[in-house]
Amino acid sequence: MNHHPAGTDEALLAALDIGGTKIAGGLVDPRGALLHRLQVPTPATGDRHELMAAVTHVLDELARRPEWPRVQALGIGSAGPVDIAAGTVSPVNLPGWREFPLRAEAARHPAAGDLPVVLGGDAVAMTAAEHWRGAARPYRNALCLVVSTGVGAGLVLDGRLHTGTTGNAGHLGHISVDFEGRPCPCGSRGCLEGLASGTAIARTAADSGWRPGPDGDTTATGVARAAKSGDPLALAAFDRAARALAAGIAATATLVELDVAVIGGGVAGAGDVLFTPLARHLAGYATLPFTRRLALAPARLGTDAGLVGAAALARHALPDGDRTAFRS
């Protein structure tokens, strides 16, 4: 396939973004722009067949698009755990899928034909998106975090997405930043996710005696709102999360040498309430000369990151000659 000029004959990538609340599909052009998007609610309590039926429906709708014949590959970003070597997913919040062969099942869809089908975890997909078209684009070595109900992350090393054998490299939420900390559901203790996720921020605030305003919002969003208005207990909850994040980011930078840490996810939407203490604590943990220049940046792609990232994963699967249409 030769390079396609912009227009009606250019190559496209198809993408699926599978999470606990929605299954989204899209078509992405060679510049990483989302041309078409649709989504359906995830039947989260459904069995394996109901869940796959929802994925099939999204693929059916995408395949009806007149642009579908120009699709060169299909990328899938899924809530994890994932195993890209086996092509399976076992999303924590989708009990109907345990070691479900999602890559093979998607490849069996009639519209997939002979397309390459690539699977990745949602945080790795976000990392691929931010490196292709977002805040990590100018950098060769990046850590990209999704801080929401959990803490997910992915790595770009020497300009390339670093997935690891099973696709879980960069699993920052489950490094221990407090070796005497509380037990984590993963079996370890003092994990970053248990200190810095939105769930953890809400728990920290509640344990400190913080109470929500008239809206009754006890989530991290409510804590962020209170912190922005100067509530000291809410500010302290974000400071504790920022300190834990800083420790994890600094440890990663010390291990692999990073140029940037990109922070996305719902908790990053708190803005300065998170980023100001994060920068301050990072300066205290990233003290070696080769870690001090580490940049911090908010993620840029927002809700599009899942689909653009899944497309970016698919882009990496194309042969070198075919990939030229999708160069950065």
Side-chain angles (χ1 to χ4, degrees):
M1 183 186 77
N2 297 320
H3 174 73
H4 288 266
T8 56
D9 64 341
E10 67 186 1
L12 300 175
L13 297 164
L16 293 175
D17 177 20
I18 298 173
T21 58
K22 72 175 190 312
I23 295 172
L27 299 177
V28 175
D29 77 7
R31 293 160 295 283
L34 195 54
L35 298 184
H36 178 68
R37 185 184 206 284
L38 67 125
Q39 70 181 53
V40 298
T42 303
T45 58
D47 64 17
R48 58 196 282 129
H49 304 294
E50 289 174 83
L51 284 161
M52 192 61 212
V55 173
T56 299
H57 173 71
V58 171
L59 282 171
D60 287 345
E61 293 299 309
L62 284 179
R64 288 192 181 99
R65 299 289 302 177
E67 306 96 331
W68 183 264
R70 293 190 268 130
V71 169
Q72 303 298 307
L74 168 63
I76 306 170
S78 174
V82 303
D83 184 337
I84 62 172
T88 59
V89 300
S90 305
V92 171
N93 48 4
L94 301 180
W97 274 353
R98 287 296 171 267
E99 296 183 12
F100 182 75
L102 179 58
R103 184 173 59 207
E105 289 295 315
R108 287 176 53 197
H109 191 281
D114 296 324
L115 295 178
V117 179
V118 184
L119 174 66
D122 48 9
V124 172
M126 174 268 194
T127 300
E130 290 292 335
H131 189 236
W132 187 18
R133 285 292 173 255
R137 189 175 182 184
Y139 301 97
R140 290 191 62 76
N141 300 284
L143 172 69
C144 296
L145 294 88
V146 181
V147 187
S148 55
T149 26
V151 176
L155 285 165
V156 173
L157 299 178
D158 200 24
R160 298 182 66 86
L161 194 66
H162 180 74
T163 62
T165 304
T166 65
N168 291 287
H171 207 342
L172 196 69
H174 291 286
I175 68 165
S176 178
V177 292
D178 180 4
F179 67 86
E180 292 179 336
R182 71 173 78 201
C184 178
C186 80
S188 184
R189 62 169 58 238
C191 285
L192 178 60
E193 183 170 286
L195 291 161
S197 67
T199 312
I201 290 168
R203 185 177 61 225
T204 297
D207 289 350
S208 74
W210 175 81
R211 295 296 177 263
D215 61 5
D217 186 354
T218 59
T219 68
T221 303
V223 181
R225 195 178 301 117
K228 286 174 186 173
S229 68
D231 184 304
L233 294 177
L235 284 164
F238 267 88
D239 186 81
R240 185 169 189 258
R243 186 174 181 182
L245 279 172
I249 292 167
T252 308
T254 305
L255 192 66
V256 299
E257 290 201 49
L258 296 172
D259 304 316
V260 68
V262 174
I263 321 288
V267 173
D272 290 346
V273 167
L274 176 70
F275 280 90
T276 298
L278 179 57
R280 184 176 71 251
H281 287 304
L282 190 59
Y285 285 109
T287 56
L288 291 168
F290 67 92
T291 64
R292 285 183 197 150
R293 292 186 299 275
L294 175 64
L296 278 177
R300 286 189 194 151
L301 295 177
T303 54
D304 288 345
L307 287 173
V308 174
L313 295 176
R315 167 177 165 254
H316 287 294
L318 294 173
D320 286 345
D322 291 354
R323 205 182 305 158
T324 55
F326 299 96
R327 287 260 164 88
S328 297

